[in-house]
């Protein structure tokens, strides 16, 4: 092979490298990446107005009034989300949470075989309709230190439906309270 052939091969390699360099510079000029000043994703959330003493949410209606329009059928639909941790059958097994059959009127932390949190064990009394309403609103507020990681049911009508359904899960369901006129 003579030197002219070697020069052509070296020239072709250098020309190819020069073309790739030119393409790279052109591509960076056209498609310049934007690097954020702070790494990560920015989530655009509108801040809530702080709830001052005069800006508190309107109090919920009494549970007695809500139970007048509550149905166990709607409550069964609402409690489907609870079935991830709880069971509802008579003498059913405990899941991540205790079995809820007969919960209305049952002493707190009394389901056999379930390991309740110390906070729940320390809470005396029975599960009344009003206590279930408060617990289902915000479990961690009603029983600080509970192991239950459920944020609660924000809508009072959902809570009333769930309580109406839970009340039917008993051998002798308790009479639902009636709103005073």
């Amino acid at each position: 092979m003579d030197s002219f052939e070697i020069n052509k091969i070296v020239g072709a390699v250098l020309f190819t490298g020069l073309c790739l360099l030119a393409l790279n510079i052109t591509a960076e000029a056209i498609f310049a990446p934007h690097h954020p000043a702070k790494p990560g994703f920015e989530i655009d959330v509108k801040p809530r107005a702080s709830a001052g003493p005069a800006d508190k949410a309107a109090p919920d209606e009494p549970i007695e009034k809500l139970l007048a329009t509550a149905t166990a059928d709607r409550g069964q639909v609402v409690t489907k989300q609870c079935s991830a941790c709880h069971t509802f059958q008579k003498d059913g097994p405990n899941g991540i949470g205790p079995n809820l059959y007969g919960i209305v009127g049952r002493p707190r932390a009394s389901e056999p075989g379930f390991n309740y949190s110390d906070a729940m064990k320390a809470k005396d009394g029975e599960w009344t309709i009003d206590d279930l309403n408060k617990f289902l609103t915000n479990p961690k507020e009603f029983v600080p230190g509970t192991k239950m990681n459920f944020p609660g049911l924000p809508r009072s009508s959902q809570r009333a439906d769930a309580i109406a359904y839970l009340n039917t899960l008993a051998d002798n369901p308790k009479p639902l309270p009636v709103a005073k006129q």
Side-chain angles (χ1 to χ4, degrees):
M1 196 186 290
D2 63 357
S3 65
F4 186 68
E5 290 294 321
I6 292 174
N7 284 343
K8 286 193 318 187
I9 292 171
V10 171
V13 170
L14 288 174
F15 181 73
T16 304
L18 187 62
C19 287
L20 288 174
L21 182 63
L23 278 172
N24 188 18
I25 291 170
T26 306
E28 282 185 12
I30 295 172
F31 304 107
H34 171 68
H35 297 287
K38 182 177 168 185
F41 292 103
E42 184 176 332
I43 301 172
D44 187 23
V45 178
K46 295 178 183 176
R48 284 189 188 177
S50 63
D55 203 19
K56 295 268 185 195
D60 284 338
E61 294 184 57
I63 190 65
E64 294 83 7
K65 186 175 180 183
L66 294 167
L67 286 170
T69 59
T71 67
D73 292 335
R74 286 192 311 250
Q76 187 173 13
V77 172
V78 170
T79 58
K80 284 198 187 292
Q81 58 190 316
C82 305
S83 64
C85 300
H86 298 279
T87 58
F88 299 97
Q89 304 86 17
K90 181 176 183 176
D91 299 324
N94 294 320
I96 295 170
N99 182 348
L100 296 180
Y101 186 87
I103 189 74
V104 178
R106 181 170 76 195
R108 290 190 190 96
S110 65
E111 181 64 22
F114 186 76
N115 185 20
Y116 289 93
S117 65
D118 292 335
M120 185 62 81
K121 289 177 189 174
K123 192 95 168 161
D124 292 332
E126 292 184 343
W127 282 113
T128 64
I129 301 274
D130 191 47
D131 286 346
L132 280 170
N133 183 42
K134 291 175 186 172
F135 185 73
L136 290 174
T137 301
N138 187 344
K140 292 201 181 287
E141 185 178 299
F142 185 72
V143 181
T146 183
K147 292 190 281 187
M148 186 164 151
N149 287 325
F150 180 66
L153 296 170
R155 291 188 11 222
S156 54
S157 61
Q158 283 183 325
R159 290 192 306 272
D161 290 334
I163 291 168
Y165 172 66
L166 290 172
N167 189 54
T168 64
L169 301 177
D171 293 332
N172 297 314
K174 306 271 187 228
L176 293 175
V178 180
K180 297 174 184 167
Q181 298 294 338

